[in-house]
Each structure stands twice: as C-alpha cells, then as structure tokens.
Amino acid sequence: MFALLVAPNLLVIAVFAYWPIIYNAFLSLTDWNMIAARPTFVGLANYGRTLTDPAFHKTLWITVVFTGFIVAVSLLFGLALAFLFNLPLKGRGAVRTIAFAPHILSGAAVATIWLFIFDPGYGLMRAVIDPFGAEPPDWMNNSDWALPGLIIVYLWKNVGFAALIYLAGLQGLPKELDEAAAIDGASTWTRLRAIKLPLLAPITFFLLITTVIGTFQAFDVIAVMTGGGPGDATTTLSWSIYNEGFQAFNAGRAATLSIIMFVILLLVTTVQARVMERRVHYR
C-alpha cells in the first residue's frame, strides 16, 4: 500500500529531477550539434578543453565575483534593513511592502526599468550625478561598468527578500533573553553580537544557501541588459551555458559547463553545511 502511494511522486521526481541530470552527464561526454541524428561519444575531451580554456577561467572568475558581491551585500544590507523594519515606526508596513516588491517582479521587467535608469542620456542616474559635475558612464556598454551595474540591479531585486526573511527571524526571537541581558547591563552591540546574531544563524544559513544558488543561476536580467557583454564582461557560467547550447549549438560543451556548475554548487553547499552545522543551533 505504501509503495502504491509513493510511486507517483517517486516517478515524477525521477523523470523531472534525476533523469535530466543523468542525461546531461551523458551529453557532456559527447559532441553533438543537436541536428545530427546521434551524438558522437568523445569521453572526457569536453572537460579537458573546458578546464584548460582561458575563456572558461575568466567566466568562472566573473561568476565568483558577481556571486560574492551579491551574497555578502544582500545579507549585510538585508540584516540592517530587518532591524530598521522592526522598529515601531509609522508606515513601516508600507515600507516593508515597497522593499519586498522588487523581488516578486519578473527579471525582464526589472532589467527594463534599470536600462532606463542607467541610460547615460536621460536616465535617473544622470539626474543624480549631474549636480556633482560628473559625467555618468554608459553602464551597459562599458566593460568596466557593466558588471557593477548588474550587481546593483540584482541587489535591488534581492535585498528586500533577505530583509523580510531576517525580519521574520527577528520577530521570532525570545524577547526574555534580550531583556535579561539588558537588565544585566549588556550594551546594544553586545546583545546583538552575543544573542541576536547567534539565534539568527539558521536564517543566515538559509539565505546563504539560497542566494548562492540563485545568483549562480542568474540569467534573465543578464539576457535583457547585457547579453553577456560588452564583449564577455558579464558572461557568467549560466550565460555561457546558454551561449554554447542555444547559440553555438554545442550540446556537449553546454552539458559540460552545466555539470561543472552542478559540481561547484554541490561542493559549495556541502562545505557551507559542514561549516555551519557547528555554528547553527536550532531552537
């Protein structure tokens, strides 16, 4: 009876979760342009070419920088905003809604909005910079500014989510611990460092994992705003997979990059879990 009940769920998981990974791993061992009737088996040649390709090294570095900035700043600013949103101020409900709204907007809509903001001729950035006598950069067409511009956009889209998750954690903390520490003479900073941050560790762990995975897979905003350019200045690993698979029609190389990204995320998640399990204590 139990087998009959779980069989449909197991079948769906096997077909839509595990089979694509297995088939993708097989494709990474082949050379296939998605037009030929059958892929040609080439073994580990795709991995050898990819791992020794300077372009792949640059793409991986861009992905690491992009992800690192977004993860660090999202968590830091999200925590700061959560403490601000937790204060008994008028209109905080509306402010929370405004802060969270960018997260639920589609990536294409967010990208379109920011293309207008970044426009060097008539965008909002020009209005902000003009009073200082500076000339705004051509953000999306300048290889030095395109990646920082994308980071700003993704932060605007994701910080509100981190803030609301942290806020939920803050409101669930036992107040008696903080009150007891205050009575004992602990300063605000001491209470934050010794009580609140350790109790928020499960929230931080959750946000760390989800933000790393989500940022590594970022695609929609890049597709609309830069298309991986100018040149390869904003070519992340996810965009490189798209390029190889659906522009160069090299399924083997795209599958190889996908497996590499899967392994990287698996290793990062495993390391994070091992490190954090010693520091995260669930109440």
Side-chain angles (χ1 to χ4, degrees):
M1 185 64 179
F2 175 75
L4 290 175
L5 290 174
V6 301
N9 291 332
L10 292 178
L11 181 62
V12 169
I13 292 172
V15 171
F16 293 102
Y18 294 112
W19 171 245
I21 296 174
I22 295 171
Y23 187 65
N24 193 70
F26 164 72
L27 284 180
S28 71
L29 305 176
T30 67
D31 181 19
W32 187 38
N33 61 4
M34 295 190 285
I35 297 176
R38 294 175 182 173
T40 303
F41 185 78
V42 295
L44 297 176
N46 286 329
Y47 290 94
R49 284 195 295 269
T50 299
L51 295 175
T52 56
D53 185 0
F56 168 73
H57 298 160
K58 183 177 181 180
T59 296
L60 188 59
W61 173 247
I62 290 171
T63 306
V64 170
V65 171
F66 179 67
T67 302
F69 267 101
I70 291 175
V71 171
V73 179
S74 290
L75 267 61
L76 184 62
F77 274 56
L79 182 61
L81 285 175
F83 280 106
L84 182 62
F85 293 162
N86 202 37
L87 296 176
L89 302 175
K90 290 184 178 180
R92 62 179 180 176
V95 174
R96 292 173 186 173
T97 303
I98 293 171
F100 185 72
H103 182 71
I104 61 176
L105 293 176
S106 71
V110 169
T112 304
I113 292 169
W114 278 91
L115 281 175
F116 283 106
I117 293 174
F118 282 143
D119 188 279
Y122 53 84
L124 180 61
M125 281 294 185
R126 184 173 190 89
V128 172
I129 295 175
D130 269 348
F132 299 96
E135 187 69 21
D138 190 0
W139 290 83
M140 295 299 106
N141 295 311
N142 187 314
S143 57
D144 294 328
W145 288 96
L147 187 60
L150 283 180
I151 291 173
I152 291 172
V153 174
Y154 271 97
L155 286 174
W156 181 78
K157 183 171 171 52
N158 294 324
V159 165
F161 173 76
L164 266 292
I165 297 297
Y166 267 129
L167 177 62
L170 276 175
Q171 293 179 340
L173 296 182
K175 295 181 181 180
E176 56 271 15
L177 293 178
D178 190 59
E179 292 171 353
I183 292 173
D184 289 339
S187 65
T188 302
W189 167 249
T190 301
R191 300 201 308 272
L192 172 64
R193 178 179 55 83
I195 297 176
K196 293 180 179 178
L197 290 182
L199 290 176
L200 286 173
I203 303 295
T204 301
F205 179 53
F206 167 76
L207 287 172
L208 191 62
I209 294 292
T210 56
T211 308
V212 167
I213 294 175
T215 309
F216 244 86
Q217 298 175 337
F219 178 83
D220 46 5
V221 173
I222 297 174
V224 175
M225 296 190 73
T226 66
D232 57 359
T234 59
T235 299
T236 60
L237 200 50
S238 59
W239 184 256
S240 186
I241 292 170
Y242 168 78
N243 275 341
E244 292 292 341
F246 299 100
Q247 292 188 352
F249 297 103
N250 190 341
R253 176 67 182 265
T256 301
L257 291 172
S258 299
I259 292 297
I260 290 174
M261 185 167 74
F262 172 76
V263 171
I264 290 173
L265 289 175
L266 182 62
L267 290 175
V268 169
T269 303
T270 302
V271 170
Q272 288 175 336
R274 292 292 176 86
V275 171
M276 295 299 289
E277 71 182 1
R278 302 173 186 174
R279 302 183 179 183
V280 175
H281 301 285
Y282 296 92
R283 301 189 307 277

